Structures are given as C-alpha cells and as structure tokens.
Amino acid sequence: MTNLFSSFDPTSSIFNSQLNWLSSILFIFFIPSLFWISPARPHFLWNSTITILHKEFKNLTKFSKKFESTLIFISIFSFILFNNFLGLFPYIFTSTSHLILTLSVSLPLWLTFMFFGWINNTNHMFTHLVPSGTPPILMPFMVCIETISNIIRPGTLAVRLSANMIAGHLILTLLGNTGSSMSLLLISILILIQLALLILETAVAFIQSYVISILITLYSSEIN
C-alpha cells in the first residue's frame, strides 16, 4: 500500500541506499558534447539559449559585462531546468520537489551575497533597509520589515520551487488514480486533460527555473 506522496519519497531499497538522488546529475548526459566534428542542432539551440540568458542577466547585474559574471546564474538555471524537466518522465525522481535540494541551492547563495554585501558595502546595505521617501516616524518599522523580508528570501525561493513541482505532480497523480473507475468515454477525456496538464507542467518547469535564476540575479544586484 502506497500513499499519495509515495512518488516524492527520496528513499530507495536498492543496496540500502538513497539512489534516487542520482537523478540530480542525469542532466550531464543530455548536455550536447563539444567533441563532435560538426555541432548538432541541440548544441546550437542551447548556445542560443545561453546567449539570450547572458544578455538578460547582464542587464540586471551591476558587475562586469563579461560572460563569466553571469555564468553562475546560467548554471543555476540549467541545473533547475533539467531537474524539473526530467522529473516529468516516468520513474525519474523529481529532486527539485524537496526542500533539501532547493534550500541547498538558495541558502548558500543568499549567505554569500549577505557576507559580501555587509563586509564590502556596509553603508549601502544599511541604506537599503530604509527605502527612499520613507517618513521618519515609519523608519524603525521599515527596518524591521526589510530585515524580515531579507531573512526569509532563501526560504521563499526554496518553497516556491518545491511547491510548484509538488502541486503539478499531485494533480497528475490524483487524476491518474481515478482512471480505473471510469468508462471508456471518460477515460478518453481524462487522457486529453492529462496531456494538457503535462504540457502545462513542461511550461512550469521552464518558468520556475527562469524565475528562480532571475530572483537570485536581482538579489545579487542589490549588494553592489
């Protein structure tokens, strides 16, 4: 007997180890190789995607305009995108639906930004706590609000990604479990609904990876 959340169980009975987490590195096998004599079409597509992301991220950051300045954000986008996309296939564990992975991505980056900002740009970080045009009587409250909103940033990033991944998978699971008690006509309608939801989940996988990388880029631009 399995429960509704059995598809999100990270444990595995094979060799008494948690081998499901190996799905986090499956994207390495899907990256186009650079050792071909003539690059394939997926290689050109991925290069154009990286170029577009670089142009998007460099406009948000205030660092160097070189490609290396946006490489970490492009890497985060690629890692989350491939894990979200691979989780839509049967029998592949969705690692981005767990807070242990999403927090492992967002929390170290947030701590790095905070340490860098408070050590190198202390005055800027203090002035960022009080937005311009705030009345003097509201300044203590704005400091508390901005501090709390800054502290919960890694948590909101992690929960946003994992909640969106869990919600879509749960809807697909709930609709799929009701197919055994339906007639042939209702099953045909159910299959069409499942296909539409699967297309929606594919779009969510792309959108969520883009949103997370954009938010991390914006957080990094605030410290400089």
Side-chain angles (χ1 to χ4, degrees):
M1 297 295 291
T2 58
N3 54 25
L4 187 60
F5 294 91
S6 60
S7 59
F8 304 102
D9 188 7
T11 60
S12 177
S13 59
I14 303 177
F15 302 112
N16 197 20
S17 61
Q18 299 180 1
L19 297 180
N20 281 333
W21 290 107
L22 292 177
S23 63
S24 300
I25 61 174
L26 284 179
F27 69 94
I28 297 176
F29 299 100
F30 291 87
I31 296 178
S33 176
L34 299 178
F35 295 99
W36 296 97
I37 298 177
S38 178
R41 290 182 179 179
H43 180 67
F44 285 112
L45 177 62
W46 187 242
N47 278 345
S48 61
T49 304
I50 291 177
T51 304
I52 295 173
L53 289 175
H54 170 66
K55 294 179 180 179
E56 185 76 19
F57 292 154
K58 77 176 182 180
N59 294 328
L60 298 176
T61 58
K62 300 177 182 178
F63 302 109
S64 173
K65 300 302 181 181
K66 295 181 180 179
F67 182 78
E68 291 81 3
S69 60
T70 60
L71 182 59
I72 182 173
F73 308 116
I74 295 175
S75 301
I76 293 171
F77 172 83
S78 306
F79 177 74
I80 297 176
L81 173 62
F82 278 103
N83 279 278
N84 291 348
F85 185 71
L86 290 176
L88 298 175
F89 290 91
Y91 304 107
I92 296 182
F93 178 67
T94 310
S95 57
T96 50
S97 63
H98 286 73
L99 287 175
I100 188 173
L101 180 69
T102 54
L103 274 177
S104 300
V105 174
S106 61
L107 187 59
L109 288 172
W110 178 80
L111 288 175
T112 304
F113 296 152
M114 288 297 102
F115 281 123
F116 179 84
W118 284 104
I119 292 174
N120 297 297
N121 301 317
T122 307
N123 293 330
H124 173 74
M125 298 298 290
F126 274 116
T127 56
H128 185 69
L129 294 177
V130 181
S132 60
T134 304
I137 192 173
L138 295 179
M139 285 184 180
F141 299 100
M142 292 304 299
V143 171
C144 296
I145 293 173
E146 289 294 330
T147 303
I148 294 174
S149 64
N150 199 359
I151 292 175
I152 66 174
R153 279 179 176 178
T156 55
L157 285 176
V159 172
R160 178 186 288 108
L161 179 58
S162 59
N164 280 279
M165 291 297 103
I166 290 176
H169 285 68
L170 280 181
I171 293 175
L172 292 173
T173 303
L174 286 172
L175 291 177
N177 290 336
T178 59
S180 58
S181 59
M182 290 184 175
S183 62
L184 184 60
L185 177 62
L186 292 178
I187 289 178
S188 303
I189 298 175
L190 179 63
I191 292 175
L192 295 177
I193 296 175
Q194 290 275 57
L195 289 176
L197 286 175
L198 188 60
I199 296 174
L200 178 62
E201 280 298 300
T202 306
V204 169
F206 282 88
I207 292 171
Q208 285 302 314
S209 56
Y210 179 75
V211 168
I212 294 297
S213 57
I214 283 291
L215 288 176
I216 294 176
T217 307
L218 290 175
Y219 295 160
S220 67
S221 63
E222 293 180 358
I223 65 175
N224 190 9

